[in-house]
Amino acid sequence: MPLSKHDREQFLAEPHVAALSVAAGPERGPLTVPIWYQYSPGGELWFHTPVGSRKARLIDAAGRVSLMVDVADERICYVSVEGPVVRTEPGTDEVVREMSARYLPAERVASYVEFALAEHGEQVVYVVRPERWLSADLTS
């Protein structure tokens, strides 16, 4: 059964690891990778990735992405959203810190941010406007 608008937005707002997909050209399937993201109900979603990475180049070329999150434990549920990239922003230290704090225990954030900035280099933030939604709660 599809989730209501409220329920799908609440589910997407939870800190799930998402599968991000972006077109990879006519002779290839889409690039699909796990990613951390941020979303507030009714708003845009965003994520960051290294400047110049394959993922960033494909997103720049395609101009849109799909993102899917799911759970399969006592509840079997998923939400998929697709939409255009509406803007990009610099991936500042604070952006990396905010995202890390969403997914990691507080005591691990500082060391992870230090690692991420050193290992992943300059970041770019992609902001996506959700246009098309698919969802289901298979336990209802």
Side-chain angles (χ1 to χ4, degrees):
M1 160 177 279
L3 295 167
S4 69
K5 180 179 188 237
H6 174 268
D7 289 347
R8 74 183 185 207
E9 289 183 347
Q10 291 298 318
F11 184 80
L12 188 62
E14 296 169 3
H16 302 286
V17 174
L20 175 82
S21 292
V22 60
E27 300 298 317
R28 301 198 56 177
L31 172 69
T32 303
V33 295
I35 196 160
W36 290 352
Y37 69 95
Q38 182 69 275
Y39 174 75
S40 295
E44 298 166 326
L45 66 88
W46 64 269
F47 56 89
H48 61 87
T49 196
V51 169
S53 65
R54 179 172 182 242
K55 183 182 350 169
R57 291 190 314 270
L58 291 172
I59 293 168
D60 291 343
R64 61 190 314 111
V65 299
S66 294
L67 186 125
M68 192 276 302
V69 297
D70 69 329
V71 294
D73 46 30
E74 70 275 351
R75 182 178 187 200
I76 301 170
C77 184
Y78 76 89
V79 170
S80 177
V81 63
E82 180 258 327
V85 173
V86 293
R87 70 183 176 282
T88 60
E89 301 171 355
T92 63
D93 294 6
E94 187 51 42
V95 163
V96 175
R97 185 170 287 99
E98 178 183 340
M99 189 67 74
S100 300
R102 175 172 161 84
Y103 287 92
L104 297 173
E107 66 273 9
R108 293 191 51 211
V109 171
S111 62
Y112 180 81
V113 168
E114 184 179 329
F115 161 81
L117 293 172
E119 293 297 316
H120 301 147
E122 184 182 359
Q123 301 285 301
V124 59
V125 173
Y126 289 95
V127 180
V128 176
R129 183 181 62 244
E131 282 186 343
R132 294 180 185 89
W133 296 75
L134 294 172
S135 65
D137 186 342
L138 305 175
T139 54
S140 298

